[in-house]
Amino acid sequence: FRSIQVQDFVDRFTVAEREALSDAARSHPIPAVQIKIAAFNEYLRMASVISLDDSYITTSVGQMETVGLIGVGRAAEVLV
């Protein structure tokens, strides 16, 4: 498995992406997205290491791209 420290994973997102994700966890107009991002943020807070091959991580980052919280093509870059 490809694993990295949580901070290294978070650093793969741009400042604008991190701010968009933080805002979405509090106030996204689609409640399911808001809940998903809040749960993802909580997962990161509890973890010490992130597996880049973990299905929860890959699915979550892919969904961030799908709903426009990160740019097109960014999921692949974050998960490299």
Side-chain angles (χ1 to χ4, degrees), residues 19-76:
E19 290 171 353
L21 292 167
S22 178
D23 186 52
R26 291 188 310 276
S27 62
H28 196 278
I30 302 171
V33 172
Q34 184 176 348
I35 291 166
K36 179 77 172 174
I37 297 301
F40 184 79
N41 288 342
E42 182 63 22
Y43 182 88
L44 293 182
R45 278 191 286 279
M46 294 184 325
S48 58
V49 173
I50 298 296
S51 170
L52 298 173
D53 301 309
D54 180 304
S55 63
Y56 179 72
I57 296 296
T58 59
T59 299
S60 296
V61 175
Q63 290 172 339
M64 291 172 196
E65 182 177 305
T66 299
V67 299
L69 294 173
I70 62 176
V72 175
R74 287 288 294 139

